[in-house]
């Protein structure tokens, strides 16, 4: 095993830093320490002197080596320790018990049909490992079996969510109504309902139902009309903005309390060059400026490409950090913060909220959930999957046989074994939040596909660490808004 420190080096305009993986700390260092750190513990002191004497005098090298020795001995920094295995913190018995009593969220895929043909849609045919648009619909028998099983196995969860998905789920509105009325009739506490919709079918009838049952509504809006209509189109190529806007305006006018409490917006950024216009729209246009958002870039289409695509986030992480550095905790009150935090804030939140504690021998798959507990997805034909972002190859049982907790445990073990190949020696292992979706392909889990997304994750985290360190040089509480 290598004796080199488990670290990552980075530099800002004003400082040099070492991210120490074992302690999960970001340490500012001088130029000499920065230069010799990778040799520390690998070469003897005289070899280090010989390698670096052209740049630094002997006294400076000795002082840096002494400082590294003190940091290793007193603060346990710059150790060479690497974890030896990757494993989920729950064993199979604990998985069995959790999935027997503590499910919290079920997603019913009411239909695989959609009335739009958005250019970037994951079901457009551009993604080799995903289904395409079709006319499959969930039956009442499948929906009821899934809901009954969910309710029976979520008794330990204080809040239980039943969500509706598609395609466009409002094409399956009669089934949605049947499910909600059935569950509401049971009189159970802590039940809430959610739907993700393109909003074009929010007619007075469907909208009134949402209000009556206090359904949480997540509506897809991609920006001002020209941008929205450039991507979110009907099969005939006509844009959907006019229909969507009309429905939202009526809903806000007729049910303002419901609208302010239960409506949210999801934006997909297809063209980063248009992001200035999108940001301006969501920051200054009613009602969007008052709401938090879900925002994402379009997913990379070709994970087998020889080179990584351009960084789609571009200058936006830096602009987000500039806002935080300038305004601190007050940034939370700005619409621009709410949008950018949704779009590019995740790596900064992970860095800022990280637990500064020693790394043990076992590495947890940080981003990988317990499959089935957090968002159990039910396909139109009744198959269970970990979430709506996983494809048909990651099956966890079905409504006929029930949720298979052994399949859940097996998926964790397979993913952990696959990931160990690279993750145990990866500097980003404690900050990374990749999961099964980054490794799935048409056959199951693929190391090749995962490695493609690993490159992007390391690049994203490296950039975020640099920006994070640089911002805190200017303002110690720069990230107070990310509490």
């Amino acid at each position: 095993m290598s004796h080199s420190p488990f670290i990552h080096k980075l530099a800002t305009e004003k400082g040099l830093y070492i991210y120490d993986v074992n302690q999960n700390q970001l340490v500012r260092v001088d130029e000499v320490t920065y230069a010799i750190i990778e040799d520390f513990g690998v070469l003897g002191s005289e070899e280090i002197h010989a390698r670096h004497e052209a740049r630094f005098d002997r006294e400076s090298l000795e002082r840096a080596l002494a400082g590294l020795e003190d940091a290793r001995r007193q603060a346990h920094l710059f150790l060479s320790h690497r974890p030896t295995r990757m494993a989920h913190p729950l064993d199979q018995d604990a998985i069995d018990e959790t999935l027997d009593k503590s499910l919290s969220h079920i997603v019913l895929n009411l239909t695989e049909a959609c009335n739009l043909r958005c250019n970037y849609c994951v079901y457009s045919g551009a993604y080799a490992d995903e289904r395409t648009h079709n006319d499959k619909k969930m039956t009442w028998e499948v929906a009821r079996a899934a809901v009954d099983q969910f309710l029976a196995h979520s008794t330990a969860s204080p809040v239980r969510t039943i969500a509706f998905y598609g395609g466009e789920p409002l094409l399956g509105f009669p089934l949605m109504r049947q499910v909600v009325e059935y569950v509401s009739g049971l009189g159970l506490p802590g039940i809430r309902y959610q739907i993700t919709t393109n909003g074009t079918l929010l007619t007075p009838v469907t909208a009134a139902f949402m209000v009556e049952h206090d359904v949480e509504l997540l509506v897809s809006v991609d920006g001002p009309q020209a941008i929205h209509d450039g991507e979110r189109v009907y099969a005939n190529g006509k844009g959907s903005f006019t229909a969507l806007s009309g429905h939202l305006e009526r809903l806000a006018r007729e049910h303002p309390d419901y609208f302010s409490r239960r409506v949210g917006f999801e934006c997909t950024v297809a063209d980063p060059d248009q992001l200035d216009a999108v940001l301006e729209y969501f920051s200054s246009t009613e009602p969007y400026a008052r709401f938090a958002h879900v925002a994402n870039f379009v997913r990379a289409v070709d994970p087998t490409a020889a080179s990584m695509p351009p960084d789609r986030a571009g200058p936006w992480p830096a602009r987000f950090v500039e806002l935080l550095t300038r305004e601190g905790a007050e940034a939370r009150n700005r619409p621009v913060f709410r949008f950018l935090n949704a779009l590019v804030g995740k790596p900064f939140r992970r860095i800022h909220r990280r637990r500064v504690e020693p790394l043990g021998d076992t590495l947890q798959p940080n981003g990988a959930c317990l499959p089935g507990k957090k968002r159990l997805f039910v396909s139109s034909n009744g198959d269970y999957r970990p979430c709506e972002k996983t494809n048909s190859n990651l099956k966890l049982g079905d409504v006929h046989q029930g949720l298979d907790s052994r399949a859940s445990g097996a998926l964790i073990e397979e993913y952990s074994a696959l990931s160990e190949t690279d993750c145990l020696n990866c500097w980003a292992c404690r900050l990374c939040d990749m999961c099964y979706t980054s490794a799935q392909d048409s056959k199951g889990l693929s190391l090749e596909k995962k490695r493609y997304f690993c490159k992007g994750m390391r690049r994203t985290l490296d950039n975020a660490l640099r920006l994070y360190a640089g911002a805190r040089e200017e303002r110690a509480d720069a990230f107070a808004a990310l509490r």
Side-chain angles (χ1 to χ4, degrees), residues 259 265 278-293 331-339:
F259 196 89
F265 302 101
V278 172
L279 186 62
E280 172 62 25
Y281 182 75
F282 281 107
S283 299
S284 61
T285 306
E286 286 293 332
Y288 310 114
R290 293 184 283 114
F291 288 78
H293 303 281
R332 291 184 63 86
N333 300 320
R334 295 279 303 279
V336 65
F337 166 82
R338 292 193 287 272
F339 188 91

Side-chain angles (χ1 to χ4, degrees), residues 354-367:
R354 72 194 187 280
R355 298 175 65 178
V356 179
E357 60 185 15
L359 173 65
D361 291 330
T362 300
L363 177 68
Q364 296 183 21
N366 297 325

Side-chain angles (χ1 to χ4, degrees), residues 3 16-17 29 38 40 84 89 131 147 151 186 206 299 315 317 324 340 391 395 421 455 474:
H3 294 290
L16 301 172
Y17 293 84
V29 297
E38 289 153 316
F40 180 62
T84 56
R131 67 167 177 83
V147 167
L151 295 176
L186 299 176
T206 58
R299 196 172 79 186
L324 296 177
L340 288 179
N391 63 32
K395 185 177 175 181
T421 304
K455 293 178 184 177
E474 303 297 325

Side-chain angles (χ1 to χ4, degrees), residues 162-179:
I162 299 174
F164 303 96
Y165 196 73
E168 170 47 50
L170 286 180
L171 289 173
F173 175 67
L175 180 57
M176 175 187 174
R177 179 168 55 194
Q178 195 170 6
V179 169

Side-chain angles (χ1 to χ4, degrees), residues 223-274:
Q225 183 165 6
I227 292 175
H228 183 98
D229 282 350
E231 301 292 340
R232 303 191 63 80
V233 298
Y234 293 97
N236 63 5
K238 181 182 178 181
S240 59
F241 185 89
T242 299
L244 165 66
S245 297
H247 293 321
L248 289 176
E249 289 169 4
R250 185 188 64 251
L251 184 60
R253 182 176 63 254
E254 296 179 357
H255 305 284
D257 178 65
Y258 168 81
F259 196 89
S260 64
R261 291 185 303 104
R262 290 291 182 254
V263 178
F265 302 101
E266 179 174 30
C267 174
T268 299
V269 179
D271 182 357
D273 291 339
Q274 296 178 325

Side-chain angles (χ1 to χ4, degrees), residues 299-303 305-312 452-453 455-456 459:
R299 196 172 79 186
V301 174
D302 183 10
S307 60
M308 289 294 291
D311 188 349
R312 290 167 296 160
Y452 170 82
F453 289 107
K455 293 178 184 177
R459 184 177 57 188

Side-chain angles (χ1 to χ4, degrees), residues 441-459:
D441 67 6
S442 58
K443 297 179 181 179
L445 297 181
S446 163
L447 180 59
E448 178 185 8
K449 188 167 184 179
K450 184 174 184 292
R451 283 174 170 169
Y452 170 82
F453 289 107
C454 285
K455 293 178 184 177
M457 177 59 69
R458 284 192 294 270
R459 184 177 57 188

